[in-house]
Amino acid sequence: MKPKTKIQHAVVQISNELPPLTKAQEQYAIDNLFPKLAYATKSSGFCLECGQSIDIKKIVRNRVVCSHCGETLKVEYTRNRILNIKDKRFSISLLVKHGIYDFQVVRTFEFCTYYKKGEKKKIFNWEVCQNWYDKSGKEVNISRLVS
């Protein structure tokens, strides 16, 4: 966005100073957005969190505890070995003061995960947009460019 008004100039200046997502916020989003799963067939199974094999004899009511990472997992019976989960969104609201302006900013992050047998899960995240609101109700949006 090319700032044209005073409020847009203030928003762009503050936007560059905002801190990145903290580890605690990132972990909270991961814990609440993505299910903890295990894939199993009749003869074998594996944990999607750590990628290690699980003992299918320990499966009770489609739940199992992974002996490697200690997570309680929901078991899905399938022959798949890969799982991609895309487009999960997580928003954070902040109050920011700058000069004569008081802003509320809603930052939206997008999370994607990639699970594969024998590998730890891979998680990617980035900020998608920022919605800025002032006391009078004026709104300024800053979004990520998509090409």
Side-chain angles (χ1 to χ4, degrees), residues 100-117:
I100 61 169
Y101 296 109
D102 289 335
F103 291 110
Q104 178 180 4
V105 59
V106 179
R107 300 174 72 188
T108 304
F109 295 87
E110 186 172 277
F111 284 78
C112 294
T113 58
Y114 178 76
Y115 302 93
K116 187 174 182 182
K117 183 177 181 178

Side-chain angles (χ1 to χ4, degrees), residues 106-145:
V106 179
R107 300 174 72 188
T108 304
F109 295 87
E110 186 172 277
F111 284 78
C112 294
T113 58
Y114 178 76
Y115 302 93
K116 187 174 182 182
K117 183 177 181 178
E119 297 178 10
K120 284 187 125 182
K121 67 180 176 182
K122 295 177 184 148
I123 301 166
F124 307 99
N125 69 341
W126 53 90
E127 190 166 14
V128 178
C129 68
Q130 297 174 353
N131 298 331
W132 295 78
Y133 305 96
D134 72 350
K135 282 191 277 187
S136 62
K138 290 182 184 176
E139 180 182 359
V140 178
N141 295 321
I142 298 178
S143 298
R144 179 175 169 242
L145 291 175

Side-chain angles (χ1 to χ4, degrees), residues 1-16 98 101 103 132 134 138-142:
M1 171 185 87
K2 228 178 193 181
K4 295 179 178 125
T5 64
K6 288 181 184 179
I7 192 169
Q8 288 176 349
H9 281 284
V11 164
V12 168
Q13 183 181 0
I14 303 168
S15 176
N16 295 331
H98 179 72
Y101 296 109
F103 291 110
W132 295 78
D134 72 350
K138 290 182 184 176
E139 180 182 359
V140 178
N141 295 321
I142 298 178

Side-chain angles (χ1 to χ4, degrees), residues 19-70:
L21 203 60
T22 65
K23 291 290 180 188
Q25 291 168 333
E26 191 174 323
Q27 191 60 45
Y28 177 82
I30 291 166
D31 291 342
N32 291 301
L33 289 176
F34 300 107
K36 302 202 181 303
L37 297 173
Y39 277 175
T41 62
K42 287 190 271 182
S43 59
S44 68
F46 67 95
C47 171
L48 286 172
E49 294 292 310
C50 65
Q52 301 296 319
S53 296
I54 57 171
D55 185 9
I56 60 166
K57 295 175 186 169
K58 294 183 179 179
I59 297 174
V60 178
R61 295 185 190 156
N62 289 337
R63 299 267 182 211
V64 68
V65 175
C66 179
S67 57
H68 301 282
C69 63

